[in-house]
Amino acid sequence: MNRTPSFVGAVLDFTPTAFLARLALVSAYLVGGIDKLGDWPAALAEQAHFGLTPPALWATLTIAVELTGSVLILSGRLVWLGAGMLGVFTFFAALVANAFWTMPEGPERFGAMNAFFEHMGLVGGFVLVAVLAHKGRRDA
């Protein structure tokens, strides 16, 4: 028998828990989007650093995806779309920014590999958010 301890159940049943978990999941995207809006030259430089041209187009798309996806997930409306936006963005960003398989052995490769798989964990988190929202609507 797999019984959830009562204190864990209380935390999971606490109404703000789900929202706070979604906020934690999207926090880096909210901060990143707001930061890029506040420092446009740095947003352009980041895109150029990764070889994305034209940098203004990619910076605009990045900001739009980070902020729109986050707001959709937090609002509980069109969660599948917000989670899909951030999941796909995160997957491709990891491929571009953390291509560890192209690096020689060493600390930089290890760091890039670690970051790549951390990003894959976020992708999984976005899929779970979409699944839970879908099941919650279906079961309601």
Side-chain angles (χ1 to χ4, degrees):
M1 179 189 315
N2 186 8
R3 186 164 146 69
T4 304
S6 61
F7 76 93
V8 173
V11 170
L12 296 176
D13 289 336
F14 184 56
T15 303
T17 298
F19 177 80
L20 292 172
R22 292 191 317 269
L23 180 59
L25 181 63
V26 302
S27 62
Y29 301 90
L30 284 172
V31 170
I34 292 167
D35 189 51
K36 288 173 185 71
L37 276 176
D39 191 351
W40 184 247
L44 295 176
E46 179 183 48
Q47 302 307 312
H49 169 76
F50 291 115
L52 300 172
T53 57
L57 170 67
W58 290 104
T60 301
L61 288 172
T62 297
I63 292 165
V65 167
E66 287 181 326
L67 296 180
T68 303
S70 296
V71 168
L72 290 173
I73 288 171
L74 291 175
S75 73
R77 299 195 42 106
L78 298 176
V79 173
W80 65 269
L81 179 59
M85 291 170 71
L86 291 176
V88 170
F89 169 79
T90 301
F91 178 78
F92 284 111
L95 290 176
V96 170
N98 300 299
F100 67 91
W101 52 90
T102 66
M103 301 174 170
E105 291 291 330
E108 285 185 34
R109 182 178 195 271
F110 179 79
M113 183 177 68
N114 208 30
F116 178 85
F117 285 105
E118 287 174 354
H119 283 81
M120 292 306 105
L122 286 168
V123 171
F126 289 122
V127 172
L128 284 173
V129 163
V131 167
L132 291 172
H134 173 72
K135 286 186 179 213
R137 292 208 190 284
R138 189 183 63 204
D139 295 342

